[in-house]
Structure formats: structure tokens, C-alpha cells
Amino acid sequence: MADFLTGMRVSSSGMAAQRMRMNTIASNIANINTTQTPEGGPYRRKDVVFESMPDAKNFGEIITSTDPKGNFQRVQVTDIISDRKAPLLKYEPDHPDANADGYVAYPNINLMEEMTNMIQATRSYEANVTALQASKDMALSALEIGR
Amino acid sequence: MSNGIFDKTTNALATSLAMRQLRHNVTASNIANAETPGYHAKKMDFEGALQRALDLDGANSLSTSDSQHFGIGGVSVSKTRPDIYEDPEGAVNNDGNTVDVEKEMSALSENAVLYKAALQLINKKMAALKYAANDGR
């Protein structure tokens, strides 16, 4: 059914996706100086992959949907990928993780980039909250018909 | 639903509410996918179709002089179908996304206001009916 629940589901999927992105950014910022990881080497910057998918997903939902063409798309985080940028090498011969030449491999994370992404994620989250609020307002005032 | 009590306008308002609800979902979907690579913004039109179906000036249907005549032209208001398509005006981003968040947000609030306006009109009509049903008390 294409009702307000559809819009609410779509908006909340957007919020969930942006929250996931925010967590990834927080992890990147927290680990900006991490030189040791369980998988070895310095921490690698993570990034989320967004994908849109139709709101109606199973056969029952599609057949009762007023929207068989999939006009209402949820957003989903399908993957979290590691950045393939080469680590930053700093000359610190006294560091325990220094290599034979005295260089330490640091994560290649640009703080400015992370902050920009963070602001973007916040704003997107807020936009979805606004949409959800509007859905709620409209649905609640529809209940007042004939009162 | 078009019988004595509920006139063409009430029908049109109800259809308009349903359409605005659909459009709200389209806009919410665009906002949620504002950063999904390759997503194309969607647009929805229904005002034209609703106007044609409502046919206030009678230009879209033949006038009939007998109740057994077939009507030609104007379709029923409740049968109005929206037209959802990919917004051709969207500028394609680097990642193939065509959502314009500012446009979507203003469309969202505009749609919500018009939805509430239609609701108020319906409520006024209901109040008038109630007044009549209560013998004007």
C-alpha cells in the first residue's frame, strides 16, 4: 500500500543509512593515528556504499502495491569499503612500528574531508527527519477529518 | 461516492488528498536517496489530470439531455491517475544522482501545506453537513 507508512519507511531508511555513514566517519576520525590493526598495517579509511531499492520487496507487497513500478525507493548501506589510498609514511625512527628505513605507516585520512562528510551526513539526516515529521503531521491531521 | 450528500467537490478533495499523499512519498524517496549514486529524482503530476476529470467548465464532456445517455469525455474524479516520471530538469551530478535537495525540501513543505488546505476544506464541508443534520443547532 502506498500510504504514509511508505513515506515513513523510506525516510527512516534514509536516517539509518546516514547514521551508518556517521558511524563510519567517527571511526575514521578516531583512528586517524592508528598504526596497528588486527589485519595488520595501519587503519584504512572506511566508506559506505549507498544503494536504492524499491520499498515493496516481496511478491505480496508488490501485488498489493499501488506502486508496482517502484517509484518509492528506500536507501540501504550495502557495503562498507576500505579506502585503497597508500598509507602516509612519516619518518619516525624511534616509533616501535617504524620499518627498516625508519618510516612509520599512518592511515591516509584527511580530517577536512571527514568533517565535510560529517556535515553532509548531518544535513541529510535532518532532511529525512523533516520529511518524516511532515509524514506524521499529515497523517495525524487526516485523522481529524469530520471531528 | 457521488450521491446526494457528498458532491463532486468532496470527491475531488478526497482524490487530491490521496494524490498529495503519493507525492509526499515520492518526495520523501527523493530526499532519502539524495546521496545514492545513480539515483534519478522522480516527479509526479496530477493537477492537470484532476482538473480534466473535474471538468468545471464542462469543456471535456458532452452534455446529455437524458439520464440514459452515455457520457463521453470527462472521466470520473476518483479514477484520476498520477503521472510519475523521472525529473527531466535535474542536473546530473558526478555520481549520476539528479536530486536537488533544496527543490525537494520546498516541494515537501508546499505539498504538506496544500494537503492541510484540502483537509480544512473537507472539514468545513463536514461541519456544514453536521450543522444541517443538527437542525441548525
Side-chain angles (χ1 to χ4, degrees), chain A residues 6-81:
Chain A
T6 308
M8 286 174 163
R9 269 201 305 272
V10 166
S11 293
S12 65
S13 79
M15 285 158 70
Q18 296 299 339
R19 183 166 41 78
M20 184 74 110
R21 183 181 180 198
M22 188 62 108
N23 288 347
T24 326
I25 296 167
S27 159
N28 288 341
I29 294 176
N31 285 292
I32 197 160
N33 285 322
T34 304
T35 53
Q36 291 179 9
T37 51
E39 53 269 21
Y43 173 87
R44 283 191 172 274
R45 187 180 167 274
K46 304 277 189 290
D47 224 338
V48 289
V49 180
F50 284 170
E51 196 185 36
S52 60
M53 55 173 270
D55 176 58
K57 44 185 194 313
N58 59 41
F59 181 71
E61 281 177 22
I62 291 170
I63 209 156
T64 53
S65 173
T66 49
D67 169 44
K69 286 190 212 147
N71 287 311
F72 312 130
Q73 300 272 326
R74 285 189 228 178
V75 58
Q76 226 185 10
V77 174
T78 46
D79 201 5
I80 295 184
I81 52 168

Side-chain angles (χ1 to χ4, degrees), chain B residues 116-128:
Chain B
K116 292 218 165 172
L119 269 182
Q120 262 189 28
L121 286 174
I122 287 189
N123 277 331
K124 289 272 182 245
K125 280 190 155 293
M126 296 294 165

Side-chain angles (χ1 to χ4, degrees), chain B residues 20-134:
Chain B
R20 296 225 173 270
Q21 190 184 54
L22 267 182
R23 175 181 283 168
H24 177 81
N25 288 347
V26 172
T27 318
S29 163
N30 285 343
I31 292 173
N33 285 290
E35 279 161 34
T36 311
Y39 178 85
H40 291 269
K42 297 214 165 59
K43 209 177 165 187
M44 178 180 142
D45 282 344
F46 72 92
E47 281 98 340
L50 187 59
Q51 209 163 32
R52 275 195 301 280
L54 201 53
D55 193 20
L56 286 176
D57 53 4
N60 289 331
S61 55
L62 287 179
S63 48
T64 50
S65 52
D66 190 286
S67 60
Q68 293 201 310
H69 288 167
F70 285 112
I72 298 179
V75 283
S76 140
V77 168
S78 55
K79 288 205 178 71
T80 307
R81 288 285 168 268
D83 199 10
I84 304 181
Y85 53 93
E86 279 183 8
D87 189 358
E89 288 161 30
V92 184
N93 227 331
N94 267 340
D95 56 1
N97 190 305
T98 65
V99 180
D100 179 342
V101 182
E102 289 80 14
K103 211 169 101 186
E104 298 300 337
M105 294 312 282
S106 72
L108 187 88
S109 47
E110 180 191 320
N111 192 53
V113 167
L114 290 173
Y115 182 89
K116 292 218 165 172
L119 269 182
Q120 262 189 28
L121 286 174
I122 287 189
N123 277 331
K124 289 272 182 245
K125 280 190 155 293
M126 296 294 165
L129 281 179
K130 232 179 194 169
Y131 184 72
N134 281 334

Side-chain angles (χ1 to χ4, degrees), chain B residues 1-11 125-126 129:
Chain B
M1 199 171 93
S2 194
N3 51 40
I5 300 183
F6 300 110
D7 58 1
K8 216 173 179 180
T9 326
T10 317
N11 266 337
K125 280 190 155 293
M126 296 294 165
L129 281 179

